[in-house]
Amino acid sequence: MTAQYGNTDAFRGASFTSAGFAAATFRDCDMRRIKIVDSLLVDVSVSGDVRNFLVNDVDVTPFVEAQLDRRHLERVQLRAMRTADDFRAMWDTIERLWLETVARAERLPRLVMNGSTASGPSSRRFVTCSSPPTPGQAGRSSTSRCPSTGSASPTPVIRPRTRRGSAWTSSPSYAAVMEARAGRVAVVRGIVDGLTDTELARMCTRAPAPGYPEEARSVGSCLRVVMEEECEHRRYMVRDLAVLDAR
């Protein structure tokens, strides 16, 4: 069997010489400051938070960012947000794009929809596991002690997935998660509909979720993180749908 390594720091600072990594997969790994010298990189796929990425001494990050902006114009709109009206318009865009993308996924035959891709789980599981948490996190932070919503917390947060090490152990039904997502999207919609420029700067002391540092965040910063996550999760889904469509 292929060797499996998970939840380990055994390779931190390690040096590999004349080692074979052909067809290896690295997922959710800390690969900062890695140096690859005089090696063969052919048919390599990299995705994630890419910055200061030098290929043959050339930083390719600006090219990657420019291409992503060209393919996903919502990224440009996201960075340009300044006012409450900008945030409302951005959420309009996110809702529209997600509706289009989920509809595209649901048009796939069941067997194709349930198939996995090289970059991640099946699209059906991806929608189930990846999309609901972020709106819930937004509501948790930005509605805390918020007079404009009249609520100390949004809809209850359910856990759409559980993990033991790196293995999936359980998942709710697709319909249940989409229902939960609709409720959380409605929470964010309620926030942005009543948003003012003054409210954007209001500080929220409640952490987005258990485990986050107890530090003040503005309503604007909370919403910006949520909207960025929504855009990126959708981008991953579009990427995998392209693979599934080809089948």
Side-chain angles (χ1 to χ4, degrees), residues 140-158:
R140 180 181 172 88
S141 292
S142 56
T143 59
S144 63
R145 304 183 182 85
C146 179
S148 62
T149 64
S151 173
S153 64
T155 43
V157 174
I158 66 167

Side-chain angles (χ1 to χ4, degrees), residues 56-229:
N56 289 333
D57 301 318
V58 177
D59 186 356
V60 301
T61 312
F63 170 78
V64 173
E65 292 297 305
Q67 289 298 306
L68 288 175
D69 286 350
R70 182 179 63 81
R71 299 178 186 182
H72 302 281
L73 295 176
E74 66 274 13
R75 289 166 48 94
V76 180
Q77 182 181 359
L78 181 74
R79 290 198 302 271
M81 291 190 309
R82 296 294 183 273
T83 68
D85 286 339
D86 294 338
F87 277 76
R88 268 187 290 275
M90 186 69 233
W91 192 248
D92 289 343
T93 298
I94 288 171
E95 285 190 328
R96 173 179 57 80
L97 291 174
W98 265 101
L99 285 173
E100 293 172 357
T101 306
V102 170
R104 176 184 171 190
E106 291 178 344
R107 286 195 296 269
L108 290 172
R110 182 182 299 273
L111 287 176
V112 176
M113 182 66 163
N114 287 330
S116 296
T117 68
S119 54
S122 69
S123 270
R124 182 171 293 278
R125 175 170 259 184
F126 189 88
V127 175
T128 302
C129 298
S130 297
S131 63
T134 49
Q137 291 173 2
R140 180 181 172 88
S141 292
S142 56
T143 59
S144 63
R145 304 183 182 85
C146 179
S148 62
T149 64
S151 173
S153 64
T155 43
V157 174
I158 66 167
R159 296 300 172 194
R161 65 182 181 183
T162 58
R163 300 187 70 177
R164 184 177 297 124
S166 60
W168 296 93
T169 58
S170 65
S171 174
S173 71
Y174 177 77
V177 173
M178 292 309 292
E179 182 180 358
R181 174 175 173 80
R184 291 170 182 179
V185 168
V187 168
V188 182
R189 168 55 63 187
I191 294 170
V192 299
D193 279 351
L195 199 61
T196 65
D197 291 344
T198 301
E199 179 71 3
L200 277 175
R202 183 178 62 80
M203 303 306 292
C204 308
T205 56
R206 190 177 186 189
Y212 279 75
E214 292 292 338
E215 59 186 27
R217 301 167 177 85
S218 69
V219 170
S221 66
C222 291
L223 289 172
R224 187 177 293 275
V225 167
V226 165
M227 292 182 184
E228 181 177 0
E229 288 290 311

